[in-house]
Amino acid sequence: MLSSSLMLRRFCCLCTAASSSSSPAPASSRTLPSTKKRLVFLGSPQVSAFVLDSLFNASSAPDSLFEIAAIVTQPPSGRDRGRKLMPSPVAQHAVERGFPSELIFTPAKAGEESFLSSFKVLEPELCITAAYGNILPTKFLKLPSMDLSAILQVQSTYTLVCFLCIVGQLLFRGLCRKGLQQDGVRETGVSLAYTVRQLDAGPVIACEKVEIDDYIKATELLELLFARGSQLLIRELPSIFDGSAKAKAVAQDESKATLAPKITPEESWLSFDQDARILHNKVRAFAGWPGTRAKVSVLDPKSGQHNIIELKIITTRVYGNNEIRSGQMDDIFFAKGSLIVPCGGGTALEVLEVQLPGKKVVNATAFWNGLRGQKLRKL
C-alpha cells in the first residue's frame, strides 16, 4: 500500500497470500505490453466492486487495450457492530482478485500532496470513478500527466463518478434517489460522461434507459444501474481510447437539471396520514439507508396496558382491497400474511417485513404471531 494505510497493507498482504493459489491474477499483476493504456480505477462501496470486476475481466482478455495501473479507494473504516477497521469493499475485492496491494491507494483526501506525488509517477491515461466518495480537487484533475479528455464519468440516478464517470442517471434530466422512487418515477438510466469540475456536468458519451417497476428497492436498483453502467463502459472504452468518443459526446442542457436534495435520517419516519402509494415509494427509495420507521402502539386487551414500539418497515406494497371501515382507521390488522395499515385518503399499506430494534428482519406473519393476541394501533 502506498503512503496511506499500514493496516490495509498488512491486510492486503495476508489476503494476497491466502488467495494467490485459488484466484487468478488480473492482467495488471503480470507483465503487459507497454502499448496498453494505463487505467486507474477510483471507487469504494460494494457496487463499485461490480465495475472493478468488469474492468479486471476485460483487461485480462487477449485483445485488451488497457491494464489497470492502480486503484484509489477510501481508507479503512469501522464497520459492523464491533466497529473493526476494515478495508473498503473495492480494496477487499481487489486483493481477492490478486491485485498488488502496493498499487491500492487509500488517501483520506484526493488532494493530499503525498498521494498526488505517488499518483503522478503512474502517468495514467484514463481514470474511471464509480462512487469513490471524495470530491476530486482541481489540482488532481490538472495533474501534468493527465488529459481532461481522459477523465470520464458514468452516471445514473445514483452518482458514480469517473474521470470517465459512471453515473446512475440520465444526465439530461438528472434524478436523485429520492425523486426516483418516492415520486414513483418509472424510468431512469445510466450515462457515460467526461468529468468536469462541476458535479455531474460533463459531456455525455452514451446513455441507456432502464425501466423501473413498482417493487424494486433503491438498493436493488443501484446494483442494477452499476451493472448496466459497467456494460456501457466496457462497450465504449475503444472509442474513448481512440479519441472518437470526444467527437460524439453531447453537452448537457443545464436548463433541464433537477435538484437532488440530500436525504436525512429525520426523513425516515412514516406518517400514515399520507396516501399508501406515497409511503410505499418512500420505503423503496429509503431502503438500505436510512430506512423507514414508524411508531405503533401495542395494546394488551386483558390488562389494558399499552406500549409504544418502533418498527423499521422493510418491505411493503399498496393494499388492493379498499374496504376498510371508518371504525378500523386506527387499527392495524393482519390478513393473508401482511400487516394492513390504514392510510390517508382511504388507502392502506401492506407491510410484509419488519424489524424491531436490535433484532433480525422477520416477515409479517412471524411478527404477528409474536404479539400473542395483543393488538396494534397507529399513533
Side-chain angles (χ1 to χ4, degrees):
M1 188 68 55
L2 293 181
S3 74
S4 295
S5 174
L6 178 59
M7 179 172 292
L8 182 57
R9 175 165 49 197
R10 290 174 177 171
F11 173 86
C12 290
C13 290
L14 289 173
C15 288
T16 303
S19 62
S20 59
S21 60
S22 57
S23 300
S28 53
S29 67
R30 301 189 297 269
T31 302
L32 293 172
S34 59
T35 55
K36 292 201 172 188
K37 303 291 186 180
R38 297 176 61 77
L39 181 151
V40 173
F41 178 78
L42 298 89
S44 297
Q46 183 58 51
V47 284
S48 302
F50 299 155
V51 183
L52 178 60
D53 204 52
S54 295
L55 291 170
F56 273 146
N57 294 337
S59 69
S60 64
D63 59 348
S64 173
L65 300 173
F66 69 95
E67 61 175 318
I68 300 177
I71 292 169
V72 183
T73 187
Q74 290 279 7
S77 60
R79 297 207 302 270
D80 302 325
R81 291 185 179 180
R83 306 304 297 170
K84 182 180 179 181
L85 281 179
M86 295 289 290
S88 75
V90 160
Q92 190 164 348
H93 182 73
V95 295
E96 288 173 354
R97 285 292 304 253
F99 192 78
S101 60
E102 66 272 14
L103 294 179
I104 302 175
F105 294 80
T106 60
K109 293 183 178 181
E112 290 181 2
E113 292 300 331
S114 58
F115 163 67
L116 291 176
S117 297
S118 299
F119 192 79
K120 181 179 177 181
V121 174
L122 293 171
E123 297 184 344
E125 296 169 88
L126 175 66
C127 291
I128 298 173
T129 75
Y132 169 45
N134 263 335
I135 297 295
L136 299 176
T138 300
K139 59 183 177 180
F140 181 70
L141 298 178
K142 290 186 175 180
L143 283 173
S145 62
M146 301 182 61
D147 176 356
L148 282 183
S149 65
I151 301 179
L152 300 163
Q153 45 187 330
V154 185
Q155 303 179 327
S156 76
T157 315
Y158 301 75
T159 298
L160 326 174
V161 185
C162 320
F163 289 36
L164 169 81
C165 178
I166 301 177
V167 180
Q169 68 191 25
L170 297 173
L171 285 176
F172 298 105
R173 51 176 204 159
L175 302 168
C176 68
R177 166 163 96 162
K178 185 185 294 186
L180 169 70
Q181 288 174 304
Q182 192 171 343
D183 297 336
V185 173
R186 302 304 299 269
E187 182 183 84
T188 184
V190 290
S191 302
L192 185 67
Y194 289 107
T195 296
V196 295
R197 187 66 182 90
Q198 186 179 350
L199 187 63
D200 297 348
V204 177
I205 299 169
C207 60
E208 180 179 321
K209 293 181 180 180
V210 177
E211 292 185 359
I212 307 166
D213 62 30
D214 289 332
Y215 300 101
I216 191 169
K217 297 179 182 178
T219 48
E220 300 163 341
L221 181 57
L222 186 58
E223 291 183 3
L224 173 62
L225 292 174
F226 270 76
R228 294 287 185 86
S230 300
Q231 296 170 4
L232 190 65
L233 170 64
I234 299 303
R235 189 184 79 197
E236 295 294 334
L237 273 178
S239 70
I240 294 163
F241 285 130
D242 68 23
S244 60
K246 291 181 66 176
K248 67 177 181 179
V250 179
Q252 296 186 53
D253 185 349
E254 293 187 9
S255 68
K256 295 182 180 180
T258 56
L259 182 65
K262 184 178 180 181
I263 295 173
T264 65
E266 290 73 23
E267 296 179 81
S268 66
W269 293 100
L270 297 181
S271 173
F272 294 118
D273 293 335
Q274 292 182 295
D275 185 278
R277 184 162 296 280
I278 293 175
L279 298 178
H280 171 60
N281 287 337
K282 185 172 183 176
V283 171
R284 297 164 57 215
F286 286 23
W289 188 92
T292 45
R293 298 174 291 168
K295 288 184 179 180
V296 297
S297 176
V298 181
L299 174 66
D300 187 334
K302 295 181 180 179
S303 66
Q305 294 182 339
H306 69 88
N307 295 311
I308 295 176
I309 62 172
E310 178 183 316
L311 283 178
K312 191 169 184 179
I313 310 299
I314 305 298
T315 305
T316 60
R317 64 185 173 214
V318 178
Y319 187 49
N321 186 346
N322 293 323
E323 297 178 3
I324 298 177
R325 295 185 294 272
S326 59
Q328 295 179 311
M329 289 308 294
D330 291 329
D331 293 331
I332 300 173
F333 59 96
F334 181 79
K336 297 181 180 180
S338 301
L339 299 174
I340 311 299
V341 186
C343 300
T347 62
L349 186 70
E350 284 191 61
V351 179
L352 307 177
E353 292 181 307
V354 298
Q355 183 178 19
L356 286 165
K359 303 294 184 180
K360 295 181 179 180
V361 174
V362 296
N363 61 35
T365 301
F367 175 76
W368 185 260
N369 291 338
L371 293 174
R372 300 180 184 278
Q374 298 179 100
K375 295 183 178 180
L376 287 180
R377 304 200 77 187
K378 299 189 307 178
L379 290 180

